[in-house]
Amino acid sequence: MTRTPTPATLRAPKPQQQTLSVRISDTLRRRLERAKDLMESTTGKYVSTSAIAKQLLESAREDRLEMVDLLAHPTDTRLEIRRKGDAQHLLSRAEWQVLAHFVRHGVEARSSLTPNPVSRDSFLILLDAFLAVYDLRTEGTAQRDAWYVGNLPSACRPTTATRSGRFGHVTPDVVRQTVTETRRRVSDLTMHATVCTPLMAGRNLSVLLEDEPLAGLEAVNRALRPYWAALWRLAARGHYVVTREPVRERSPQRRAIPQPAIPSITEGHYMLSFAREAGHEFSLLLSFPGALGARYPIRGYPAITEFLAMLTVLASDVSNRSWSGGYFVGGVADSEAHAPVCWFRAHDNGITFRLSAEEWRSVHTLMRRAWDMPDIRTAWDALALEYGEL
């Protein structure tokens, strides 16, 4: 007897995934490797080159491919972005993505290369920039909404999002509430700077620009234009962390105009002298008291930035004052028999100086006075655009 086929026996076989093997050029391989590095730095998880190739083939998004190409020459790309941004020209979405990529690195950087934390004002602008672009979304994406909330401090999340990091249904309103509360706590000067610091907020802006369907390019530029200056400084910080280079032309296009010398200044028995260098760079020479007193040079924006930060920390009234950075190490030695002594040593030469608390305050005051000088202030502001918020 012939049996009638049942639906079960007629069930179609499961489709099998096809494997495609192709030989690629070195140029395309490097492109895929850059895309792989970008994805791993964003997610913090390992991604295979084949997975990246599959993702690019499936998405076929021009802006994602353009971003990968732009990151092949990060300094040149950032210079072009800065020229367009300063002139208030439209940036492509890929160029905003590159900027946000380095903003994320700048915000999350906490190393000897960045002795100073990101300022409260910069965090506030980053949060505002995220909300401005978030309101341009053209589709609802509940999964990403939970991810955005998860990247913000748990204490700032509303009760609908549990403190354990396991979320229920996260709506766009929950995202906005969490960002608003984070902003309120960051701007509260009565709270310690490290309380509710949104170190992962840069990831939110980066993924929002990379993955979300947004309104047109002009709308994106209008939304981010008010935050351009602060976003640039954060991105320059991230660029220096990643490349160890400032965002600067590699060779000047025209001969630099000689600038007048900067006069030396004194405070107590200490003197500070200045030497101009290429571009806006300058060096410091700290002269110690006495006819045979030591003369200590400090050269370059990163080293000078750290020296300023160390001076402030060791001149403060907090207990256990100490400093350990990329260029210097120092501290305050207290004893019952002697008055406190401040000391510091540079890593590259091992030379150590010991100063009384009064002498240290003189050096601290000397540096503060130097940064009130118009010539120093002008050069320093220009260097901050090249190195970022170090």
Side-chain angles (χ1 to χ4, degrees), residues 46-103:
Y46 170 78
V47 181
S48 67
T49 303
S50 60
I52 286 295
K54 179 175 180 291
Q55 183 183 91
L56 291 177
L57 285 171
E58 290 178 343
S59 65
R61 275 182 42 193
E62 289 297 326
D63 61 295
R64 187 183 296 274
L65 296 175
E66 181 187 353
M67 179 187 179
V68 171
D69 289 340
L70 290 174
L71 287 174
H73 306 284
T75 302
D76 294 338
T77 294
R78 293 291 315 286
L79 285 169
E80 180 60 24
I81 291 175
R82 179 181 171 185
R83 282 190 287 266
K84 292 174 66 174
D86 288 347
Q88 298 191 3
H89 294 163
L90 287 180
L91 297 183
S92 70
R93 182 160 175 180
E95 287 172 326
W96 282 116
Q97 290 169 5
V98 169
L99 192 77
H101 170 75
F102 285 109
V103 165

Short mmCIF file of all heavy atoms in Angstrom, two decimals, residues 46-103:
data_model
loop_
_atom_site.label_atom_id
_atom_site.label_comp_id
_atom_site.label_asym_id
_atom_site.label_seq_id
_atom_site.Cartn_x
_atom_site.Cartn_y
_atom_site.Cartn_z
N TYR A 46 37.17 39.64 20.28
CA TYR A 46 37.89 39.17 19.10
C TYR A 46 36.92 39.01 17.94
O TYR A 46 35.80 38.51 18.09
CB TYR A 46 38.58 37.84 19.39
CG TYR A 46 39.15 37.19 18.15
CD1 TYR A 46 40.35 37.64 17.59
CD2 TYR A 46 38.47 36.15 17.52
CE1 TYR A 46 40.87 37.05 16.45
CE2 TYR A 46 38.99 35.55 16.38
CZ TYR A 46 40.19 36.02 15.85
OH TYR A 46 40.69 35.44 14.72
N VAL A 47 37.35 39.44 16.77
CA VAL A 47 36.57 39.29 15.54
C VAL A 47 37.49 38.72 14.48
O VAL A 47 38.61 39.20 14.29
CB VAL A 47 36.00 40.65 15.07
CG1 VAL A 47 35.16 40.46 13.81
CG2 VAL A 47 35.17 41.31 16.17
N SER A 48 37.04 37.69 13.78
CA SER A 48 37.85 37.08 12.72
C SER A 48 37.79 37.92 11.46
O SER A 48 36.83 38.67 11.23
CB SER A 48 37.37 35.67 12.43
OG SER A 48 36.08 35.70 11.85
N THR A 49 38.81 37.80 10.65
CA THR A 49 38.84 38.53 9.39
C THR A 49 37.70 38.08 8.48
O THR A 49 37.09 38.91 7.77
CB THR A 49 40.19 38.31 8.68
OG1 THR A 49 41.24 38.71 9.56
CG2 THR A 49 40.28 39.13 7.41
N SER A 50 37.37 36.80 8.49
CA SER A 50 36.27 36.31 7.65
C SER A 50 34.94 36.90 8.09
O SER A 50 34.08 37.21 7.25
CB SER A 50 36.21 34.79 7.70
OG SER A 50 36.01 34.33 9.03
N ALA A 51 34.75 37.08 9.41
CA ALA A 51 33.50 37.68 9.90
C ALA A 51 33.39 39.13 9.44
O ALA A 51 32.30 39.59 9.09
CB ALA A 51 33.44 37.58 11.42
N ILE A 52 34.51 39.83 9.44
CA ILE A 52 34.50 41.21 8.98
C ILE A 52 34.17 41.27 7.49
O ILE A 52 33.37 42.09 7.03
CB ILE A 52 35.85 41.88 9.24
CG1 ILE A 52 36.01 42.17 10.73
CG2 ILE A 52 36.00 43.17 8.46
CD1 ILE A 52 35.03 43.20 11.27
N ALA A 53 34.77 40.38 6.71
CA ALA A 53 34.50 40.36 5.27
C ALA A 53 33.02 40.06 5.01
O ALA A 53 32.39 40.70 4.15
CB ALA A 53 35.37 39.30 4.59
N LYS A 54 32.45 39.12 5.76
CA LYS A 54 31.03 38.79 5.61
C LYS A 54 30.16 40.00 5.95
O LYS A 54 29.19 40.31 5.26
CB LYS A 54 30.68 37.61 6.51
CG LYS A 54 29.22 37.18 6.49
CD LYS A 54 29.03 35.94 7.33
CE LYS A 54 27.57 35.49 7.34
NZ LYS A 54 26.70 36.43 8.07
N GLN A 55 30.51 40.70 7.03
CA GLN A 55 29.72 41.87 7.45
C GLN A 55 29.76 42.97 6.40
O GLN A 55 28.73 43.58 6.08
CB GLN A 55 30.25 42.39 8.79
CG GLN A 55 29.45 43.55 9.37
CD GLN A 55 30.06 44.06 10.64
OE1 GLN A 55 30.88 44.97 10.64
NE2 GLN A 55 29.67 43.47 11.76
N LEU A 56 30.95 43.22 5.86
CA LEU A 56 31.06 44.27 4.84
C LEU A 56 30.31 43.89 3.57
O LEU A 56 29.69 44.75 2.93
CB LEU A 56 32.53 44.54 4.54
CG LEU A 56 33.35 45.20 5.65
CD1 LEU A 56 34.79 45.35 5.25
CD2 LEU A 56 32.76 46.55 6.03
N LEU A 57 30.35 42.62 3.20
CA LEU A 57 29.64 42.18 2.01
C LEU A 57 28.13 42.29 2.20
O LEU A 57 27.40 42.68 1.28
CB LEU A 57 30.01 40.73 1.67
CG LEU A 57 31.39 40.51 1.04
CD1 LEU A 57 31.70 39.03 0.97
CD2 LEU A 57 31.45 41.14 -0.35
N GLU A 58 27.65 41.96 3.41
CA GLU A 58 26.21 42.00 3.65
C GLU A 58 25.70 43.43 3.76
O GLU A 58 24.60 43.74 3.32
CB GLU A 58 25.88 41.22 4.92
CG GLU A 58 26.06 39.71 4.77
CD GLU A 58 25.79 38.97 6.06
OE1 GLU A 58 25.78 39.63 7.13
OE2 GLU A 58 25.59 37.74 6.01
N SER A 59 26.48 44.30 4.40
CA SER A 59 26.01 45.67 4.59
C SER A 59 26.21 46.52 3.35
O SER A 59 25.35 47.32 2.97
CB SER A 59 26.74 46.32 5.78
OG SER A 59 28.11 46.46 5.50
N ALA A 60 27.38 46.35 2.71
CA ALA A 60 27.72 47.11 1.49
C ALA A 60 27.52 48.60 1.70
O ALA A 60 27.10 49.32 0.80
CB ALA A 60 26.89 46.61 0.31
N ARG A 61 27.81 49.09 2.89
CA ARG A 61 27.64 50.51 3.18
C ARG A 61 28.89 51.28 2.79
O ARG A 61 29.98 50.97 3.25
CB ARG A 61 27.33 50.69 4.67
CG ARG A 61 25.87 50.53 5.02
CD ARG A 61 25.63 50.76 6.48
NE ARG A 61 26.37 51.88 7.01
CZ ARG A 61 26.52 52.11 8.30
NH1 ARG A 61 25.99 51.29 9.19
NH2 ARG A 61 27.20 53.15 8.74
N GLU A 62 28.69 52.27 1.98
CA GLU A 62 29.82 53.04 1.49
C GLU A 62 30.52 53.81 2.60
O GLU A 62 31.74 53.93 2.62
CB GLU A 62 29.35 54.01 0.39
CG GLU A 62 28.98 53.33 -0.92
CD GLU A 62 30.16 52.62 -1.55
OE1 GLU A 62 31.30 53.11 -1.42
OE2 GLU A 62 29.95 51.56 -2.16
N ASP A 63 29.74 54.34 3.56
CA ASP A 63 30.36 55.15 4.61
C ASP A 63 31.25 54.29 5.50
O ASP A 63 32.29 54.74 5.98
CB ASP A 63 29.30 55.87 5.45
CG ASP A 63 28.36 54.92 6.16
OD1 ASP A 63 27.60 54.23 5.45
OD2 ASP A 63 28.37 54.87 7.40
N ARG A 64 30.87 53.03 5.73
CA ARG A 64 31.70 52.14 6.56
C ARG A 64 33.01 51.83 5.85
O ARG A 64 34.08 51.84 6.45
CB ARG A 64 30.95 50.86 6.89
CG ARG A 64 31.68 49.96 7.89
CD ARG A 64 30.92 48.68 8.12
NE ARG A 64 29.64 48.92 8.74
CZ ARG A 64 29.46 49.02 10.05
NH1 ARG A 64 30.49 48.94 10.86
NH2 ARG A 64 28.26 49.23 10.56
N LEU A 65 32.92 51.55 4.55
CA LEU A 65 34.13 51.29 3.78
C LEU A 65 35.00 52.53 3.69
O LEU A 65 36.22 52.45 3.76
CB LEU A 65 33.75 50.80 2.38
CG LEU A 65 32.99 49.47 2.31
CD1 LEU A 65 32.58 49.18 0.87
CD2 LEU A 65 33.85 48.33 2.85
N GLU A 66 34.36 53.70 3.55
CA GLU A 66 35.12 54.95 3.49
C GLU A 66 35.85 55.19 4.81
O GLU A 66 37.00 55.63 4.82
CB GLU A 66 34.19 56.12 3.19
CG GLU A 66 34.91 57.46 3.08
CD GLU A 66 33.95 58.63 2.96
OE1 GLU A 66 32.73 58.41 2.81
OE2 GLU A 66 34.44 59.78 3.03
N MET A 67 35.19 54.89 5.94
CA MET A 67 35.82 55.09 7.23
C MET A 67 37.06 54.22 7.37
O MET A 67 38.11 54.67 7.86
CB MET A 67 34.83 54.77 8.35
CG MET A 67 35.41 54.91 9.75
SD MET A 67 34.28 54.35 11.02
CE MET A 67 35.28 54.65 12.49
N VAL A 68 36.96 52.96 6.94
CA VAL A 68 38.12 52.06 7.01
C VAL A 68 39.28 52.62 6.21
O VAL A 68 40.44 52.60 6.64
CB VAL A 68 37.72 50.66 6.51
CG1 VAL A 68 38.95 49.77 6.37
CG2 VAL A 68 36.72 50.02 7.46
N ASP A 69 38.98 53.16 5.03
CA ASP A 69 40.04 53.74 4.19
C ASP A 69 40.63 54.99 4.84
O ASP A 69 41.84 55.22 4.77
CB ASP A 69 39.49 54.08 2.81
CG ASP A 69 39.20 52.82 1.99
OD1 ASP A 69 39.76 51.76 2.32
OD2 ASP A 69 38.41 52.90 1.03
N LEU A 70 39.80 55.81 5.46
CA LEU A 70 40.29 57.03 6.09
C LEU A 70 41.24 56.72 7.24
O LEU A 70 42.20 57.46 7.48
CB LEU A 70 39.12 57.88 6.60
CG LEU A 70 38.24 58.55 5.53
CD1 LEU A 70 37.05 59.24 6.19
CD2 LEU A 70 39.05 59.55 4.73
N LEU A 71 40.99 55.62 7.94
CA LEU A 71 41.84 55.27 9.07
C LEU A 71 43.20 54.73 8.65
O LEU A 71 44.07 54.52 9.48
CB LEU A 71 41.13 54.25 9.96
CG LEU A 71 39.97 54.81 10.80
CD1 LEU A 71 39.25 53.68 11.52
CD2 LEU A 71 40.46 55.84 11.80
N ALA A 72 43.37 54.49 7.35
CA ALA A 72 44.68 54.03 6.88
C ALA A 72 45.74 55.10 7.06
O ALA A 72 46.92 54.79 7.23
CB ALA A 72 44.59 53.62 5.41
N HIS A 73 45.33 56.37 7.02
CA HIS A 73 46.25 57.50 7.21
C HIS A 73 45.61 58.45 8.22
O HIS A 73 45.09 59.51 7.85
CB HIS A 73 46.52 58.20 5.88
CG HIS A 73 47.01 57.28 4.80
ND1 HIS A 73 48.30 56.79 4.77
CD2 HIS A 73 46.37 56.73 3.74
CE1 HIS A 73 48.45 56.00 3.73
NE2 HIS A 73 47.30 55.94 3.09
N PRO A 74 45.64 58.08 9.51
CA PRO A 74 44.87 58.83 10.51
C PRO A 74 45.26 60.29 10.65
O PRO A 74 44.39 61.15 10.79
CB PRO A 74 45.12 58.05 11.81
CG PRO A 74 46.38 57.28 11.56
CD PRO A 74 46.38 56.95 10.11
N THR A 75 46.56 60.61 10.60
CA THR A 75 46.97 62.00 10.79
C THR A 75 46.52 62.86 9.62
O THR A 75 45.96 63.95 9.82
CB THR A 75 48.49 62.10 10.98
OG1 THR A 75 48.89 61.30 12.10
CG2 THR A 75 48.91 63.54 11.23
N ASP A 76 46.77 62.40 8.40
CA ASP A 76 46.33 63.16 7.23
C ASP A 76 44.82 63.32 7.20
O ASP A 76 44.29 64.38 6.84
CB ASP A 76 46.80 62.47 5.94
CG ASP A 76 48.32 62.48 5.80
OD1 ASP A 76 48.96 63.35 6.44
OD2 ASP A 76 48.85 61.63 5.08
N THR A 77 44.12 62.25 7.59
CA THR A 77 42.66 62.32 7.63
C THR A 77 42.18 63.35 8.64
O THR A 77 41.29 64.16 8.36
CB THR A 77 42.08 60.93 7.99
OG1 THR A 77 42.38 60.02 6.93
CG2 THR A 77 40.58 61.00 8.19
N ARG A 78 42.79 63.34 9.84
CA ARG A 78 42.38 64.28 10.87
C ARG A 78 42.68 65.72 10.46
O ARG A 78 41.93 66.63 10.77
CB ARG A 78 43.10 63.95 12.19
CG ARG A 78 42.69 62.63 12.83
CD ARG A 78 41.26 62.66 13.36
NE ARG A 78 41.01 63.89 14.08
CZ ARG A 78 41.49 64.17 15.31
NH1 ARG A 78 42.26 63.29 15.91
NH2 ARG A 78 41.20 65.30 15.89
N LEU A 79 43.78 65.94 9.77
CA LEU A 79 44.09 67.29 9.29
C LEU A 79 43.04 67.78 8.32
O LEU A 79 42.60 68.94 8.38
CB LEU A 79 45.47 67.32 8.64
CG LEU A 79 46.67 67.26 9.59
CD1 LEU A 79 47.96 67.01 8.80
CD2 LEU A 79 46.79 68.57 10.38
N GLU A 80 42.63 66.91 7.40
CA GLU A 80 41.59 67.30 6.45
C GLU A 80 40.26 67.54 7.16
O GLU A 80 39.53 68.50 6.84
CB GLU A 80 41.44 66.20 5.39
CG GLU A 80 40.38 66.50 4.33
CD GLU A 80 40.67 67.76 3.55
OE1 GLU A 80 41.85 68.17 3.46
OE2 GLU A 80 39.70 68.34 3.00
N ILE A 81 39.94 66.70 8.13
CA ILE A 81 38.71 66.90 8.91
C ILE A 81 38.77 68.23 9.64
O ILE A 81 37.77 68.98 9.69
CB ILE A 81 38.51 65.73 9.89
CG1 ILE A 81 38.16 64.45 9.13
CG2 ILE A 81 37.40 66.06 10.90
CD1 ILE A 81 38.07 63.23 10.00
N ARG A 82 39.92 68.55 10.22
CA ARG A 82 40.03 69.82 10.94
C ARG A 82 39.87 71.01 10.00
O ARG A 82 39.19 71.99 10.35
CB ARG A 82 41.39 69.89 11.65
CG ARG A 82 41.58 71.20 12.42
CD ARG A 82 42.93 71.27 13.09
NE ARG A 82 43.19 72.59 13.63
CZ ARG A 82 44.32 72.98 14.18
NH1 ARG A 82 45.32 72.12 14.28
NH2 ARG A 82 44.48 74.20 14.64
N ARG A 83 40.48 70.94 8.83
CA ARG A 83 40.34 72.05 7.87
C ARG A 83 38.88 72.25 7.50
O ARG A 83 38.39 73.40 7.45
CB ARG A 83 41.19 71.77 6.64
CG ARG A 83 42.67 72.04 6.82
CD ARG A 83 43.42 71.98 5.51
NE ARG A 83 43.57 70.62 5.02
CZ ARG A 83 44.63 69.87 5.26
NH1 ARG A 83 45.63 70.32 5.99
NH2 ARG A 83 44.70 68.63 4.78
N LYS A 84 38.18 71.18 7.24
CA LYS A 84 36.77 71.29 6.86
C LYS A 84 35.92 71.74 8.04
O LYS A 84 35.01 72.57 7.90
CB LYS A 84 36.27 69.95 6.33
CG LYS A 84 36.89 69.54 5.00
CD LYS A 84 36.46 68.16 4.58
CE LYS A 84 34.98 68.08 4.27
NZ LYS A 84 34.63 66.73 3.72
N GLY A 85 36.20 71.21 9.22
CA GLY A 85 35.43 71.58 10.40
C GLY A 85 35.61 73.04 10.79
O GLY A 85 34.65 73.73 11.11
N ASP A 86 36.87 73.50 10.78
CA ASP A 86 37.13 74.90 11.13
C ASP A 86 36.48 75.85 10.13
O ASP A 86 36.08 76.97 10.49
CB ASP A 86 38.63 75.16 11.20
CG ASP A 86 39.27 74.53 12.43
OD1 ASP A 86 38.52 74.12 13.34
OD2 ASP A 86 40.51 74.43 12.47
N ALA A 87 36.39 75.43 8.86
CA ALA A 87 35.77 76.26 7.83
C ALA A 87 34.24 76.08 7.80
O ALA A 87 33.58 76.69 6.96
CB ALA A 87 36.36 75.93 6.47
N GLN A 88 33.71 75.25 8.69
CA GLN A 88 32.29 74.97 8.79
C GLN A 88 31.73 74.37 7.50
O GLN A 88 30.59 74.64 7.11
CB GLN A 88 31.51 76.23 9.20
CG GLN A 88 31.89 76.75 10.55
CD GLN A 88 30.96 77.82 11.08
OE1 GLN A 88 29.97 78.15 10.45
NE2 GLN A 88 31.27 78.36 12.24
N HIS A 89 32.55 73.56 6.83
CA HIS A 89 32.09 72.80 5.69
C HIS A 89 31.45 71.50 6.17
O HIS A 89 31.71 71.03 7.28
CB HIS A 89 33.24 72.49 4.74
CG HIS A 89 33.83 73.70 4.10
ND1 HIS A 89 35.07 73.70 3.48
CD2 HIS A 89 33.35 74.97 3.97
CE1 HIS A 89 35.33 74.91 3.00
NE2 HIS A 89 34.31 75.70 3.30
N LEU A 90 30.60 70.92 5.33
CA LEU A 90 29.97 69.66 5.69
C LEU A 90 31.01 68.55 5.78
O LEU A 90 31.84 68.39 4.89
CB LEU A 90 28.91 69.28 4.66
CG LEU A 90 27.59 70.06 4.65
CD1 LEU A 90 26.70 69.52 3.55
CD2 LEU A 90 26.90 69.96 6.00
N LEU A 91 30.96 67.79 6.87
CA LEU A 91 31.76 66.58 6.98
C LEU A 91 30.92 65.41 6.53
O LEU A 91 29.71 65.36 6.79
CB LEU A 91 32.22 66.35 8.42
CG LEU A 91 33.14 67.40 9.06
CD1 LEU A 91 33.53 66.95 10.46
CD2 LEU A 91 34.36 67.65 8.22
N SER A 92 31.54 64.47 5.86
CA SER A 92 30.82 63.25 5.48
C SER A 92 30.53 62.44 6.74
O SER A 92 31.14 62.64 7.80
CB SER A 92 31.64 62.42 4.50
OG SER A 92 32.77 61.86 5.16
N ARG A 93 29.60 61.50 6.61
CA ARG A 93 29.30 60.68 7.78
C ARG A 93 30.52 59.87 8.19
O ARG A 93 30.78 59.67 9.38
CB ARG A 93 28.12 59.76 7.48
CG ARG A 93 27.73 58.91 8.68
CD ARG A 93 26.35 58.36 8.58
NE ARG A 93 26.06 57.47 9.68
CZ ARG A 93 24.92 56.84 9.86
NH1 ARG A 93 23.93 57.02 9.00
NH2 ARG A 93 24.73 56.03 10.89
N ALA A 94 31.28 59.41 7.21
CA ALA A 94 32.50 58.64 7.54
C ALA A 94 33.50 59.51 8.29
O ALA A 94 34.19 59.02 9.19
CB ALA A 94 33.12 58.10 6.26
N GLU A 95 33.59 60.79 7.95
CA GLU A 95 34.52 61.68 8.66
C GLU A 95 34.05 61.91 10.09
O GLU A 95 34.88 61.95 11.02
CB GLU A 95 34.63 63.00 7.89
CG GLU A 95 35.42 62.86 6.61
CD GLU A 95 35.39 64.09 5.74
OE1 GLU A 95 34.35 64.80 5.72
OE2 GLU A 95 36.40 64.38 5.06
N TRP A 96 32.75 62.04 10.31
CA TRP A 96 32.25 62.13 11.69
C TRP A 96 32.53 60.83 12.43
O TRP A 96 32.82 60.84 13.63
CB TRP A 96 30.75 62.43 11.70
CG TRP A 96 30.38 63.86 11.43
CD1 TRP A 96 29.67 64.34 10.38
CD2 TRP A 96 30.70 65.00 12.24
NE1 TRP A 96 29.52 65.71 10.48
CE2 TRP A 96 30.15 66.14 11.60
CE3 TRP A 96 31.40 65.18 13.43
CZ2 TRP A 96 30.28 67.43 12.13
CZ3 TRP A 96 31.52 66.46 13.95
CH2 TRP A 96 30.96 67.56 13.30
N GLN A 97 32.42 59.71 11.74
CA GLN A 97 32.71 58.42 12.38
C GLN A 97 34.17 58.33 12.81
O GLN A 97 34.47 57.83 13.90
CB GLN A 97 32.38 57.28 11.41
CG GLN A 97 30.90 57.10 11.14
CD GLN A 97 30.63 56.16 9.98
OE1 GLN A 97 31.55 55.56 9.43
NE2 GLN A 97 29.37 56.03 9.60
N VAL A 98 35.08 58.81 11.96
CA VAL A 98 36.50 58.81 12.32
C VAL A 98 36.72 59.69 13.54
O VAL A 98 37.46 59.33 14.48
CB VAL A 98 37.36 59.29 11.14
CG1 VAL A 98 38.79 59.56 11.58
CG2 VAL A 98 37.34 58.26 10.02
N LEU A 99 36.10 60.87 13.55
CA LEU A 99 36.23 61.78 14.70
C LEU A 99 35.73 61.09 15.96
O LEU A 99 36.41 61.12 17.00
CB LEU A 99 35.46 63.07 14.44
CG LEU A 99 35.74 64.21 15.41
CD1 LEU A 99 37.08 64.87 15.09
CD2 LEU A 99 34.63 65.24 15.38
N ALA A 100 34.56 60.46 15.90
CA ALA A 100 33.99 59.79 17.07
C ALA A 100 34.86 58.61 17.50
O ALA A 100 34.97 58.31 18.70
CB ALA A 100 32.56 59.32 16.77
N HIS A 101 35.49 57.93 16.55
CA HIS A 101 36.39 56.82 16.87
C HIS A 101 37.53 57.30 17.76
O HIS A 101 37.86 56.67 18.77
CB HIS A 101 36.94 56.24 15.56
CG HIS A 101 38.05 55.27 15.74
ND1 HIS A 101 37.86 53.97 16.19
CD2 HIS A 101 39.40 55.39 15.52
CE1 HIS A 101 39.03 53.35 16.25
NE2 HIS A 101 39.98 54.18 15.85
N PHE A 102 38.13 58.43 17.42
CA PHE A 102 39.24 58.94 18.24
C PHE A 102 38.73 59.61 19.52
O PHE A 102 39.44 59.61 20.54
CB PHE A 102 40.09 59.91 17.42
CG PHE A 102 40.98 59.23 16.42
CD1 PHE A 102 40.72 59.30 15.06
CD2 PHE A 102 42.06 58.47 16.84
CE1 PHE A 102 41.53 58.66 14.14
CE2 PHE A 102 42.88 57.82 15.93
CZ PHE A 102 42.61 57.91 14.57
N VAL A 103 37.52 60.17 19.48
CA VAL A 103 36.92 60.70 20.72
C VAL A 103 36.82 59.58 21.75
O VAL A 103 37.16 59.76 22.92
CB VAL A 103 35.54 61.30 20.44
CG1 VAL A 103 34.76 61.51 21.74
CG2 VAL A 103 35.66 62.63 19.72
#
